[in-house]
C-alpha cells in the first residue's frame, strides 16, 4: 500500500472535510480503498495462521466506512479522517457469545498506526459475564496480565471510561478490583508508521495481534462458559 499517499490524502481530508472536496478527490480515495482492501485481505490470511476462527472473514465486511454517522453528533463533518478495519469471527462487529474478540487497527493522517484487540464497550450482560470471570478465574486472569509479550506490546488493558467505584455486586477488596471497574477489556497501542516500508505493515500488525492471544483465549473461555449456562 502507498502509505505516504494515504496519509497525505487523510491530512488533506481533515483540512477539507466536506462533500465537494471529497467528490473531487474520489478517484484518489477509490485507489487507496482498493489498496487498503488488499492489506486487510493479507492480514486476515496471516491471522488465520494462529487464529483459525478469523481465517474465513470477509475483508470487505471488516473495513469501516469513511462516512461518519452525524445524526446524533454536534460535529457535522461528513467523513472520518482515518482508514480502519475490525476483524472478528463470523464478521460480527459487536462481541457476543460465539462472536469473539475484535482485531482492530487504524491509520491516521499524521502517520500514526493504532491497533488493539479485545472487547470494546461490550453490552451490559456481556460485560457482567467478563467481570464475573475475572472473579471466578482470578488465577487465569492474573496469568494473562503477566504475559511478557502482551505487556511488552500493550503494557496493560485500556482504562478509558473506567468506573470510579467497583460495579454493584462486586467485592471492593478483590485483588483485581481495578480491572473490575473497566468498561472494556481491550488492549491498545499506537506507533508511528514506517511510510517508506509499506511491506512491514501487515507483519507488524500480525505480530502485535498475536501478542494479544492470551486475552483473546481468555475472553473466549468466558463465551464458552456463557453458552454453557
Amino acid at each position: 500500500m502507498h502509505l505516504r499517499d494515504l496519509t497525505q490524502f487523510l491530512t488533506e481530508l481533515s483540512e477539507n472535510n466536506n462533500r465537494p472536496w471529497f467528490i473531487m478527490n474520489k478517484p484518489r480515495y477509490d485507489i487507496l480503498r482498493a489498496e487498503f482492501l488488499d492489506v486487510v485481505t493479507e492480514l486476515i490470511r496471516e491471522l488465520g495462521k494462529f487464529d483459525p476462527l478469523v481465517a474465513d472473514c470477509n475483508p470487505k465486511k471488516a473495513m469501516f466506512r469513511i462516512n461518519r454517522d452525524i445524526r446524533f453528533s454536534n460535529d457535522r463533518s461528513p467523513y472520518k479522517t482515518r482508514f480502519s478495519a475490525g476483524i472478528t469471527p463470523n464478521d460480527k462487529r459487536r462481541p457476543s457469545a460465539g462472536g469473539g474478540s475484535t482485531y482492530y487497527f487504524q491509520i491516521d493522517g499524521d502517520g500514526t498506526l493504532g491497533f488493539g484487540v479485545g472487547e470494546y464497550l461490550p453490552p451490559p450482560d456481556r460485560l457482567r459475564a467478563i467481570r464475573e470471570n475475572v472473579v471466578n478465574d482470578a488465577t487465569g486472569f492474573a496469568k494473562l496480565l503477566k504475559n511478557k509479550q502482551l505487556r511488552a506490546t500493550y503494557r496493560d488493558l485500556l482504562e478509558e471510561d473506567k468506573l470510579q467505584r467497583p460495579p454493584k455486586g462486586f467485592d471492593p477488596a478483590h485483588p483485581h478490583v481495578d480491572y473490575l471497574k473497566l468498561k472494556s477489556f481491550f488492549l491498545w497501542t499506537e506507533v508511528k508508521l514506517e511510510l517508506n516500508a509499506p511491506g512491514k505493515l501487515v507483519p507488524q500488525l500480525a505480530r502485535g495481534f498475536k501478542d494479544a492471544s492470551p486475552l483473546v483465549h481468555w475472553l473466549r473461555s468466558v463465551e464458552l462458559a456463557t453458552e454453557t449456562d
Side-chain angles (χ1 to χ4, degrees), residues 20-215:
W21 184 91
F22 189 82
I23 292 175
M24 287 287 292
N25 289 271
K26 183 75 162 44
R28 294 171 63 193
Y29 168 75
D30 289 339
I31 292 172
L32 293 167
R33 183 80 171 173
E35 292 182 350
F36 191 66
L37 176 60
D38 289 341
V39 168
V40 176
T41 301
E42 183 182 352
L43 179 59
I44 289 173
R45 186 163 53 246
E46 292 301 309
L47 294 182
K49 294 177 180 179
F50 61 84
D51 188 350
L53 291 186
V54 300
D56 296 325
C57 284
N58 186 334
K60 291 184 178 180
K61 290 185 177 181
M63 296 165 60
F64 287 93
R65 299 171 67 245
I66 199 167
N67 301 78
R68 294 183 63 250
D69 184 352
I70 60 175
R71 291 174 299 172
F72 308 106
S73 174
N74 292 326
D75 180 0
R76 310 305 291 180
S77 302
Y79 304 107
K80 301 171 186 174
T81 56
R82 63 181 180 271
F83 271 29
S84 57
I87 302 165
T88 306
N90 303 316
D91 297 316
K92 292 184 178 181
R93 288 295 176 90
R94 295 292 292 171
S96 62
S101 300
T102 297
Y103 298 96
Y104 174 86
F105 76 100
Q106 65 183 40
I107 297 174
D108 295 324
D110 64 356
T112 298
L113 170 65
F115 60 91
V117 184
E119 298 190 18
Y120 183 77
L121 295 177
D125 56 343
R126 175 65 182 157
L127 179 58
R128 182 168 185 83
I130 294 172
R131 286 170 169 164
E132 288 175 347
N133 210 47
V134 170
V135 175
N136 297 333
D137 183 30
T139 301
F141 186 70
K143 183 178 179 180
L144 83 84
L145 292 175
K146 293 178 181 178
N147 182 275
K148 291 182 179 180
Q149 290 177 301
L150 182 149
R151 297 203 66 92
T153 301
Y154 302 98
R155 299 187 64 181
D156 207 345
L157 292 172
L158 185 69
E159 293 194 356
E160 185 177 301
D161 298 321
K162 183 177 179 179
L163 297 174
Q164 294 296 316
R165 299 177 181 176
K168 185 177 180 180
F170 290 89
D171 183 3
H174 192 276
H176 295 320
V177 66
D178 284 341
Y179 294 98
L180 294 173
K181 296 177 184 178
L182 298 179
K183 290 187 178 182
S184 298
F185 282 74
F186 198 81
L187 298 164
W188 180 254
T189 190
E190 295 180 356
V191 298
K192 295 304 291 184
L193 277 170
E194 294 188 52
L195 297 178
N196 296 321
K200 294 183 179 180
L201 176 59
V202 170
Q204 179 181 17
L205 286 169
R207 286 194 304 272
F209 288 151
K210 189 173 184 179
D211 290 342
S213 294
L215 177 63

